Structure formats: structure tokens, C-alpha cells
Amino acid sequence: MAEAIWSVGMVAKRCGIKVSTLHYYEQQGLIHSWRNSGNQRRYKPEVLRRISVIKAAQRVGVSLEEIKQAFESLPNNRTPTVEDWQQLSKNWQQMLDGRIAYLQKLRDNLAGCIGCGCLSMTNCPLYNPDDKLAESGSGPVLLDQAEQKARTRQETNV
């Protein structure tokens, strides 16, 4: 049986994305096509799985660069199998757990001092008198420290 060949429009419609998104994914090395004799892009059906993995991963906050690195880790840059997907999702789960912990800390501390150095809130002078946290780094130092603690806990639990 001949292998199915998908046009750009067919892939875009089936995946629920724009043609320009397909072109972008290809430019970034996330998917691959070839040109037919009329110089039109054609895709193998397995591209649907790659795009579905991309969309699922993006939906939970995995960046395109992280997705690309994961794809590149597969033998011959193949489309992820069920086993590959289980391993990729396991690796991403650890990263996402850290992001969730950070977001929870951010949510719980939005009304208080996050260690940014602004000293404009009532609690800031208590937690960060005279912006002493500036010695620890830039940005929201307290949130960053909480994220690092969560990441360290996570790594020791693995």
C-alpha cells in the first residue's frame, strides 16, 4: 500500500493550526517535509503525531526550544512512539512541577514582599529592610529563592 502524502492544507486543517504555523515549525526543525515535482510541500502522516505532541507540550508550558531538544534526543529524530511520549512527558513533568511550585508561591505572595527591591509595600521593610536582598541578586529574590528550594527538593526526591 502506498504511503499517504499530506498537503500543507490537509495537515493544517487536521491539526487545527495555520499553514504559517506549519511553515514555522518546519523552519525551527520541529517537523519535516519534502517537495513534490510541482515544488509543493508534502508530509508523511506521522507529522500529525509530532504536531500533536508539540501542541500538548505547549499547552502545559513547554517551550518550542525544549520540545525541539526532546525531539532531537530521539534516535534518527524520529516521530515519538508511545514509549518515547511516556519518557518525554515524565521529563517534562519534573520541569512542570517546579513551575507549578513557583506559580503557587507567586500566587500566595502577590500581595506581599517578593524581594524585588521596590520597598513600596507595608511588608517590604519587614522582609527586605533597606533592600538587603539586592546582595542576593536581581529581580524577585524571594520568589527566586523559593523556586530554587522547590527545584532542589524535587531533584532530591527523584
Side-chain angles (χ1 to χ4, degrees), residues 110-127:
L110 278 176
C113 181
I114 59 174
C116 66
C118 72
L119 303 178
S120 63
M121 301 180 77
T122 307
N123 290 337
C124 288
L126 299 174
Y127 290 105

Side-chain angles (χ1 to χ4, degrees), residues 1-19:
M1 175 160 64
E3 188 174 284
I5 298 174
W6 292 67
S7 70
V8 174
M10 290 170 62
V11 172
K13 182 177 181 182
R14 176 61 180 87
C15 293
I17 61 176
K18 296 177 181 180
V19 169

Side-chain angles (χ1 to χ4, degrees), residues 64-126:
L64 285 179
E65 185 57 35
E66 291 163 327
I67 296 166
K68 181 178 180 180
Q69 289 172 2
F71 282 172
E72 288 173 347
S73 73
L74 300 173
N76 299 320
N77 203 23
R78 72 171 180 237
T79 296
T81 63
V82 172
E83 294 80 19
D84 293 332
W85 176 242
Q86 289 172 346
Q87 185 60 46
L88 293 175
S89 62
K90 181 181 177 183
N91 293 341
W92 289 334
Q93 182 179 6
Q94 295 171 357
M95 175 194 60
L96 294 171
D97 287 343
R99 288 182 184 172
I100 289 168
Y102 180 79
L103 288 170
Q104 287 172 330
K105 184 74 173 171
L106 177 62
R107 177 200 62 209
D108 295 343
N109 290 294
L110 278 176
C113 181
I114 59 174
C116 66
C118 72
L119 303 178
S120 63
M121 301 180 77
T122 307
N123 290 337
C124 288
L126 299 174

Side-chain angles (χ1 to χ4, degrees), residues 32-44:
H32 306 284
S33 70
W34 75 92
R35 301 287 182 146
N36 67 9
S37 60
N39 202 30
Q40 298 168 324
R41 282 184 171 94
R42 293 292 184 249
Y43 297 91
K44 292 182 180 180

